Amino acid sequence: MAAAGTAPRRVGFVGAGRMAEAIAQGLIRAGKVEAQHVLASAPSDRNLCHFRALGCRTTYSNQEVLQTCSLVFFATKPHILPAVLAEVAPVVTSEHILVSVAAGVSLSTLEELLPPTARVLRVSPNLPCVVQEGAMVMARGRHAGSSEAEFLQSLLEACGQCEEVPEAQVDIHTGLSGSGVAFVCTFSEALAEGAIKMGMPSGLAHRIAAQTLLGTAKMLLQKGQHPAQLRTDVCTPSGTTIYGIHALEQGGLRAAAMSAVEAATCRAKELSRK
C-alpha cells in the first residue's frame, strides 16, 4: 500500500457518473495522480467519454478495475452497488483499499458483501470537488486502520476539505453539504433576482451574487469566525443590512434552511435503511 501522503500508482472508479468524474478531475488537477493511471468502468460509453476526455483509461469490466488498481472508488447508484460488489468480490485482495461514495449504503452493508477482511471506507463528497473546493467527510470500516484513513484523507484533500467522522454523521453531511450545494444555488439565484428586480443586468447580478458567496465563505474559513459575528460586523445601526436581515427573518429564511437540511438528512437515513 502507498504510504500516507503519497500518490497511489493507479486509481480505479467503478461507476463513471458526475461524482466519480468530479473526484477524478480534482485528483488529476492537483497532480495527485496522472490521468493515464486512472481506470474507470461503466456499462456504456455515456459517461466513460468524460473520463476519456480527461486522458483516463476506460473499460466495460468492473473486475478489470480491481485487477488493475489498488485504490478503487465505487461510485455507482446505491441500488446497483450490491450487485456490483458481488461481482467484484472474487478479485478483492488484501492489497485493495475500497472506497464507497454511494449515498445511503452503510459500512456494515459494504462489509457484508465483500471478503471478511476487506479494507473499506465510506466517503460523502459533494460536487465542488471538481473545482478542488469540495466538502467531504469519511468513515472507516472495521478493517481500515489509521494509515488507510490518513492516506485517503491526504489524497482527497486535493479535492477540497476532508474530515474523518463517525459514520452516524455521514447522512447529516449529505443533507448539509451534498444537498447544500443546491440550497446555496437557490439562495444565490434569489439574491441575483432581487438585484435584477431593482434594475441590475442579469449576468452582472449573478456574477456578483456568486462572488459574494465565495468571499463570505473564505472569510468564515480563514478567520474561523462564527457566522453570527461576521453578520454583526456587517450590520450598522439603521443601515441597509439590518433592514435586509429583518426582511429575511420575516420570510422565515433561517427556519426554511434548517428544515431543508433536516429533510435531506432524513431522506438520506431513509435510503440507508432501505
Side-chain angles (χ1 to χ4, degrees):
M1 186 191 75
T6 64
R9 298 187 66 178
R10 297 188 183 278
V11 177
F13 290 87
V14 174
R18 183 171 295 181
M19 191 55 66
E21 181 190 355
I23 295 173
Q25 190 165 327
L27 295 177
I28 293 166
R29 283 183 173 179
K32 288 287 187 178
V33 64
E34 295 181 20
Q36 64 266 32
H37 292 162
V38 174
L39 176 62
S41 66
S44 72
D45 288 326
R46 185 165 62 97
N47 291 323
L48 289 178
C49 61
H50 300 300
F51 274 81
R52 292 189 193 115
L54 292 172
C56 304
R57 297 170 54 226
T58 63
T59 178
Y60 304 123
S61 168
N62 296 330
Q63 285 198 354
E64 183 182 349
V65 175
L66 274 291
Q67 291 165 340
T68 306
C69 307
S70 58
L71 173 64
V72 179
F73 290 88
F74 290 89
T76 68
K77 288 183 170 55
H79 69 279
I80 295 174
L81 186 56
V84 169
L85 293 178
E87 176 193 351
V88 302
V91 294
V92 170
T93 72
S94 60
E95 296 299 312
H96 285 109
I97 299 175
L98 307 176
V99 184
S100 170
V101 299
V105 182
S106 68
L107 285 167
S108 61
T109 298
L110 296 168
E111 290 175 335
E112 285 173 8
L113 296 168
L114 289 166
T117 59
R119 296 181 294 175
V120 182
L121 299 100
R122 183 179 171 194
V123 170
S124 177
N126 69 350
L127 198 54
C129 287
V130 74
V131 291
Q132 296 172 251
E133 292 292 351
M136 297 160 282
V137 296
M138 67 175 191
R140 66 174 96 160
R142 289 177 299 158
H143 302 292
S146 58
S147 61
E148 287 85 6
E150 290 169 8
F151 167 63
L152 182 62
Q153 185 173 17
S154 173
L155 194 66
L156 289 178
E157 282 177 349
C159 302
Q161 177 182 326
C162 181
E163 299 192 27
E164 185 175 2
V165 299
E167 187 180 18
Q169 294 180 17
V170 173
D171 288 335
I172 302 172
H173 177 271
T174 299
L176 171 63
S177 190
S179 300
V181 172
F183 304 158
V184 171
C185 286
T186 301
F187 181 63
S188 181
E189 184 180 18
L191 280 179
E193 287 176 344
I196 294 165
K197 179 181 178 182
M198 301 311 296
M200 183 176 283
S202 176
L204 178 61
H206 283 287
R207 289 195 300 274
I208 290 178
Q211 182 63 38
T212 300
L213 295 177
L214 174 64
T216 304
K218 282 191 172 183
M219 289 184 71
L220 289 172
L221 289 171
Q222 291 176 7
K223 292 191 173 185
Q225 288 181 307
H226 191 282
Q229 181 59 55
L230 182 54
R231 184 194 68 212
T232 300
D233 292 345
V234 178
C235 288
T236 55
S238 298
T240 61
T241 306
I242 194 61
Y243 274 72
I245 292 289
H246 188 196
L248 290 175
E249 295 290 2
Q250 286 178 317
L253 174 71
R254 188 188 303 262
M258 291 173 67
S259 294
V261 174
E262 180 181 15
T265 300
C266 288
R267 177 55 177 162
K269 290 181 178 180
E270 182 182 321
L271 292 172
S272 296
R273 288 193 294 270
K274 289 182 179 179

